[in-house]
Amino acid sequence: MSARREEILGAAVALADESGLEALSMRTLAERVGVTPMALYPHVGGKATLLDSMVGRLLAELLPPEMTDEGPQVTEAGWRELLSAYARRARGLLLQHPWSAALLFSRPAATAEALHAVGQIHAALLEAGVPPLEVRRVERLVSTFVLGFAASEAGGRFGGGSPEASGPGRQVSEENHTAHSELLPCPSAPVDWNAEFEADLKDLADLIASVASRGRRA
Amino acid sequence: MSARREEILGAAVALADESGLEALSMRTLAERVGVTPMALYPHVGGKATLLDSMVGRLLAELLPPEMTDEGPQVTEAGWRELLSAYARRARGLLLQHPWSAALLFSRPAATAEALHAVGQIHAALLEAGVPPLEVRRVERLVSTFVLGFAASEAGGRFGGGSPEASGPGRQVSEENHTAHSELLPCPSAPVDWNAEFEADLKDLADLIASVASRGRRA
DNA sequence: ACCTGAACACCGTTCAAGT
DNA sequence: ACCTGAACACCGTTCAAGT
């Protein structure tokens, strides 16, 4: 609504992008905006609603993924491209705004923009042949994976953090090596996360096609 | 190590289970243990390492899932049961300790117990026929989904929160209804999350079998 | 309408003492 | 070895004033 509010929200997002969520306080934000902490409250209404507004702003950036100009129709085999485009865009936004991952797990993403995106994904799944009764579940399966993957990257679960020796007291010489583990690639080999994400998307698209063909047989 | 330390860790987990992570402070924990805040530091060494120790404790509970007594062998079609057992156990632990989800996304789960569990999962995927070069990726795909699903449930992303009308300014009458959406089940119908999780696991097991058969053709 | 300043009840953590 | 008490630099937020 108000321009002042948008300015404050922008400053909050910038601050969180640069220094992380833990560095975003009403006091640091106020300093950034050039005002007293209490001056923020009429505009953003407390820290909790500030965070809500920040994820709302981010969700609004989700669409359109890379829509063709003729509208939101999902045609033939185009469902694979639409789903991939959404997944890539969601991952990109999450990596660009690492603070958002933790927040997204605790909010139902019920903004108008988010609901519109979900609607498009439902349409794509129907086009793919997923039975209507399974469409919502499959959408949640895919979006849960995409959110989880990006959150793992952004948070450091995949080991993207600092290359320290994971603390004291590690003796992995025997417990960790099962009879099969020498067949696997080196555990600490660097991973191309873009390539892994694309391979995962491919497998999930095949899963969707498989659910669809199972539905046709039934 | 020390009994005092274990006692403090137990109190911290209990406090977080009951009242959430945000209610766990060095001060509230000290009061619970019956001691001054500063007395905790020699035992748990600061809040960050306290949280690390808490997830370590939780990861130690992950195994064994429901191991048969004759050892960790993965046989024939037993890989489906082993993976399902791990997934159910992980989800159960996450729902039992909702505070852990946020922490797990930011730590590589490199405790001895967690590495042992991952080793068993790798063995199961090899047994399923997944090509060695793809085993680590598929393990991450599945564990990322399981963690994401449980985090969504525990955090409230799936709408399990309070049944309020999601704030002011919701007009979903037209934007939300695409041409297909009337084919879908009611958007706000209650969902059986246990059943959804089981259906997802089934689909992921089929995905694994499909990756395996693709590997056999190549 | 918009902002300030003092105050309250909290944080994690350091440091010098106590027994 | 184990714990205490005072202190420091932070939080989010309320409330009474200022212009």
Side-chain angles (χ1 to χ4, degrees):
Chain A
M1 287 301 194
S2 98
R4 192 91 177 108
R5 179 185 148 85
E6 292 307 311
E7 181 194 343
I8 294 171
L9 253 44
V13 168
L15 221 164
D17 286 351
E18 296 163 17
S19 316
L21 247 201
E22 74 286 349
L24 173 68
S25 71
M26 298 303 279
R27 290 166 139 99
T28 57
L29 177 57
E31 191 183 25
R32 179 95 156 210
V33 176
V35 92
T36 259
M38 285 319 300
L40 301 174
Y41 281 74
H43 293 108
V44 300
K47 181 132 191 210
T49 64
L50 167 67
L51 295 175
D52 278 338
S53 306
M54 287 169 68
V55 319
R57 235 178 190 245
L58 199 141
L59 288 173
E61 285 184 67
L62 195 63
L63 53 138
E66 41 203 54
M67 218 86 120
T68 53
D69 300 49
E70 61 263 24
Q73 279 81 331
V74 183
T75 51
E76 314 159 304
W79 62 269
R80 283 179 187 260
E81 278 72 22
L82 188 138
L83 292 180
S84 295
Y86 263 117
R88 289 188 200 107
R89 187 161 179 83
R91 172 171 173 252
L93 281 171
L94 270 274
L95 295 184
Q96 214 174 357
H97 307 287
W99 48 268
S100 64
L103 300 178
L104 285 167
F105 278 109
S106 59
R107 287 147 236 252
T111 68
E113 295 91 351
L115 291 173
H116 184 238
V118 171
Q120 279 196 145
I121 290 165
H122 288 161
L125 293 173
L126 284 169
E127 179 61 39
V130 173
L133 279 169
E134 304 220 67
V135 160
R136 290 183 182 281
R137 175 179 72 83
V138 173
E139 183 275 320
R140 281 188 289 260
L141 194 163
V142 174
S143 65
T144 295
F145 167 76
V146 170
L147 179 52
F149 190 94
S152 297
E153 287 185 279
R157 180 172 84 96
F158 284 163
S162 48
E164 84 261 66
S166 80
R170 65 194 294 252
Q171 65 286 36
V172 285
S173 41
E174 61 237 305
E175 198 67 289
N176 190 21
H177 278 224
T178 69
H180 311 273
S181 64
E182 61 276 2
L183 297 175
L184 268 47
C186 175
S188 55
V191 179
D192 180 342
W193 298 111
N194 291 322
E196 172 142 339
F197 188 68
E198 292 298 324
D200 290 346
L201 289 187
K202 175 72 170 56
D203 282 348
L204 288 172
D206 290 348
L207 179 150
I208 290 166
S210 162
V211 170
S213 75
R214 182 214 296 157
R216 273 189 289 274
R217 278 195 304 274
Chain B
M1 286 300 195
S2 97
R4 193 89 175 109
R5 179 186 148 84
E6 291 310 309
E7 181 194 346
I8 294 172
L9 253 43
V13 168
L15 221 165
D17 286 350
E18 295 164 17
S19 317
L21 248 201
E22 74 286 349
L24 173 66
S25 71
M26 298 303 280
R27 290 166 140 99
T28 58
L29 177 57
E31 191 185 25
R32 181 93 155 213
V33 176
V35 93
T36 258
M38 285 318 302
L40 302 174
Y41 281 74
H43 293 108
V44 300
K47 181 131 192 213
T49 63
L50 168 66
L51 295 176
D52 279 336
S53 306
M54 289 168 69
V55 319
R57 237 180 188 242
L58 200 141
L59 289 173
E61 284 185 67
L62 194 63
L63 53 140
E66 41 201 55
M67 217 85 121
T68 56
D69 300 49
E70 60 264 24
Q73 278 82 331
V74 183
T75 52
E76 312 161 303
W79 63 269
R80 283 180 187 260
E81 280 71 23
L82 187 139
L83 292 179
S84 294
Y86 262 118
R88 287 188 200 106
R89 186 159 179 84
R91 173 171 174 252
L93 281 172
L94 270 275
L95 295 183
Q96 213 174 357
H97 308 287
W99 48 268
S100 65
L103 300 179
L104 285 168
F105 277 109
S106 58
R107 280 145 240 259
T111 68
E113 294 90 352
L115 291 174
H116 184 238
V118 171
Q120 278 196 145
I121 291 165
H122 286 161
L125 293 174
L126 284 170
E127 179 63 38
V130 173
L133 279 169
E134 304 221 68
V135 160
R136 290 182 182 280
R137 176 180 72 82
V138 173
E139 182 274 319
R140 281 188 289 260
L141 194 163
V142 174
S143 64
T144 295
F145 167 76
V146 171
L147 179 53
F149 191 94
S152 297
E153 286 184 281
R157 181 172 84 97
F158 284 161
S162 48
E164 85 262 65
S166 77
R170 66 193 294 254
Q171 65 287 35
V172 285
S173 41
E174 60 237 303
E175 198 67 286
N176 191 21
H177 279 222
T178 68
H180 311 272
S181 64
E182 63 275 2
L183 297 175
L184 268 47
C186 176
S188 54
V191 178
D192 179 343
W193 298 112
N194 292 322
E196 172 143 338
F197 188 68
E198 291 298 325
D200 289 347
L201 288 186
K202 175 72 169 54
D203 282 348
L204 288 172
D206 290 349
L207 179 150
I208 289 165
S210 163
V211 170
S213 75
R214 183 213 296 154
R216 273 189 288 274
R217 277 195 304 276

